[in-house]
Amino acid sequence: MFTIITGAQFGDEGKGKIVDLMSGNYDLVVRFQGGDNAGHTVKVGEDVYKLHLIPSGFLLDSRVLIGPGTVLNPEVLAREMDMLAEGGIVLTPEKLGVDAKTSIIMPYHVELDGLKESRRTEKIGTTKRGIGFAYIDKVARDEVRMADLADPEKLRCRLLELAPSKEAAIRELEGDPAIVTSKDLMDKYVELGRRLAPYMTDVSYEINKALEDGRNVLAEGAQGTHLDVIHGTQKFVTSSSTVAGSACANLGVGPTKVDEVLGIVKAYITRVGEGPLPTELTDETGRRIQQVGREFGTTTGRARRCGWFDLPLLRKAIYLNGYTSLALTKLDVLSGLAQVKVCVAYELDSRIVDYPPEGTAELARCRPVYEDLPGWESDLTGVKSFDDLPGAAQQYVRYLENKMGVPITYVSVGPGREQTFQR
Ligand code: GDP
Ligand code: IMO
Ligand code: MG
């Protein structure tokens, strides 16, 4: 079985939590795009893991893979491996694999991201992890690949070849070009390459072989649908394709192999960074959701902007991903509100539309049209089944499901692994 999981909104929907939960049924768990701009949280008992690169299936028996469509900062990967090892979780090459074709995020990508963002008059609010610049180099065929990193001689040659253009790019943004070829950096990357070399693999081959042998593969998306580089709210997007189809292209698996596409969706919406968010709440309710939901970025610590559930954006996410089912997370966060609002349509230039306009500027002009639903008082964090939810919370879930036309198969009421039930 081949299952793809993606975020249905603007990221941080709780993908890490659901992937951890589901990984018990999967032999391989694979990241297919993005880099350490992602921050995925897994909570089991009192242990909380906040990981940026290592797929969220690492705790159970699955083998975890980083696919060739990702951009990999080897320092971050090494740090995550060390952090897990300190807690007794040692990721051997039997447990973790990195595709040989994966693009490496070099320090000059991080530098360029920071320089460029600080010079933008209209900011994107990137995570400054070098993501965009690493993808530029991939497409320009100027990337350093995992296979180059793993071979000191290749790495030296590649860096010498690339150095003049990288130095010029940094100089143009008034940065310090010394970072490109510094001896310390070269030594550090040679060492990282040595360490990661045993993990190199062919991810496409591994997945296809596993599927042929009747084993189960779970593809873990990063970011969210509306941050997709093609279909998202340009320019306020990330630099990779975050929708489900991207998993096939990026992992080298044919679309005929896909069995399920699960969308992760919060019971409200959040966004970190700039860009339109039609249902954004800048009032007390927004602050309350932010505090109760602990809506602060896993990667950058920035406060996430919060808003009511946005059905037009979900309709688009359902089209873009072809979801077969949805997992609704953070329902517990809405407890204690007298009323819960759902945006069912937008008013755009005196017209009512129930699907987002394609242009970002038009989306920014959309004013939400709400339907009100009754809220519920009680704390949901101990609820173990759908039937045990208060009536109004059940009504909210059913209402969303009817409006979206896709079954909500998981409901999550807390960060812990046990705080999820299937319907
Ligand atoms: P991801 O990027 O999609 O993996 O999501 P993040 O890990 O960045 O953000 C989700 C946050 O919400 C994490 O801190 C999770 O521990 C937490 N979380 C996940 N599901 C729930 C839930 O149902 N209720 C609550 N209260 N927190 C949750
Ligand atoms: P996970 O996987 C939420 C946002 C950034 C910024 C934009 C571009 O945890 O859901 P980038 O550094 O990618 O060039 O920044 O994308 N962004 C995310 N927002 N969750 C994420 O990942 C994100 N990864 C990037 O805030 O607005
Ligand atoms: Mg996150």
Coordinates of all heavy atoms in Angstrom, one line a residue, residues 9 27 53 138 159 200 273 301 318-319 334 337 353 394 423:
Q9 N -3.5 22.9 4.6 CA -3.6 24.4 4.7 C -2.3 25.1 4.5 O -1.8 25.0 3.4 CB -4.2 24.7 6.1 CG -5.7 24.2 6.3 CD -6.1 23.9 7.7 OE1 -5.3 23.3 8.5 NE2 -7.3 24.1 8.1
D27 N 6.1 0.1 6.4 CA 7.5 -0.4 6.4 C 8.5 0.7 6.1 O 9.6 0.7 6.6 CB 7.6 -1.5 5.4 CG 6.7 -2.6 5.7 OD1 7.0 -3.4 6.6 OD2 5.6 -2.7 5.1
L53 N 14.1 17.3 9.6 CA 14.4 16.5 8.4 C 14.1 15.0 8.6 O 13.6 14.4 7.6 CB 15.9 16.7 8.2 CG 16.4 18.0 7.5 CD1 17.9 18.1 7.5 CD2 15.8 18.0 6.1
K138 N 19.2 23.6 -7.8 CA 18.8 22.3 -8.3 C 18.3 22.4 -9.7 O 18.7 21.7 -10.7 CB 17.7 21.7 -7.4 CG 17.3 20.3 -7.7 CD 16.1 19.9 -6.9 CE 15.9 18.4 -6.7 NZ 17.1 17.7 -6.1
L159 N 32.8 22.5 -5.6 CA 32.8 23.8 -5.0 C 33.7 24.8 -5.7 O 33.3 25.9 -5.9 CB 33.2 23.6 -3.5 CG 32.1 23.3 -2.6 CD1 32.6 23.2 -1.1 CD2 31.0 24.3 -2.7
M200 N 23.6 6.5 2.1 CA 23.2 6.8 0.7 C 22.4 5.6 0.2 O 22.8 4.5 0.3 CB 24.4 7.1 -0.1 CG 24.6 8.6 -0.2 SD 25.5 9.0 -1.7 CE 27.0 8.1 -1.5
G273 N 4.5 33.5 8.7 CA 5.1 34.2 7.5 C 4.0 35.1 6.9 O 2.9 35.2 7.4
G301 N 10.0 29.8 15.8 CA 9.5 30.3 17.0 C 8.5 31.5 16.8 O 8.0 32.0 17.8
I318 N -8.6 20.1 -1.6 CA -9.2 18.8 -2.0 C -9.0 18.5 -3.5 O -8.6 17.4 -3.9 CB -10.7 18.7 -1.6 CG1 -10.7 18.6 0.0 CG2 -11.4 17.5 -2.2 CD1 -12.1 18.9 0.5
Y319 N -9.2 19.5 -4.3 CA -8.9 19.4 -5.7 C -7.4 19.2 -6.0 O -7.1 18.3 -6.8 CB -9.4 20.7 -6.5 CG -10.8 20.7 -6.8 CD1 -11.4 21.9 -7.5 CD2 -11.7 19.7 -6.6 CE1 -12.7 21.9 -7.8 CE2 -13.1 19.8 -6.9 CZ -13.5 20.9 -7.5 OH -14.9 20.9 -7.9
L334 N -10.6 24.5 20.3 CA -11.7 25.3 20.2 C -12.7 25.2 21.4 O -13.7 26.0 21.4 CB -12.5 25.0 18.9 CG -11.7 25.2 17.6 CD1 -12.6 24.8 16.4 CD2 -11.2 26.6 17.4
L337 N -15.3 28.1 23.5 CA -15.8 29.3 22.7 C -17.3 29.2 22.6 O -17.9 28.1 22.3 CB -15.2 29.3 21.3 CG -13.7 29.4 21.2 CD1 -13.1 29.1 19.8 CD2 -13.3 30.9 21.6
V353 N -18.1 34.3 -3.8 CA -17.4 33.1 -4.5 C -17.2 32.1 -3.4 O -16.9 32.4 -2.3 CB -16.1 33.6 -5.2 CG1 -16.3 34.5 -6.3 CG2 -15.1 34.2 -4.1
Q394 N -19.3 17.2 17.9 CA -19.7 16.2 16.9 C -20.3 16.9 15.7 O -20.0 16.6 14.5 CB -20.7 15.2 17.4 CG -20.1 14.2 18.4 CD -21.1 13.1 18.8 OE1 -22.1 12.9 18.1 NE2 -20.8 12.4 19.9
R423 N -12.5 7.2 13.2 CA -14.0 7.1 13.1 C -14.4 6.0 12.2 O -13.7 5.7 11.2 CB -14.5 8.4 12.5 CG -14.5 9.6 13.5 CD -15.0 10.8 12.9 NE -16.5 10.8 12.7 CZ -17.1 11.3 11.6 NH1 -16.4 11.9 10.7 NH2 -18.4 11.3 11.5

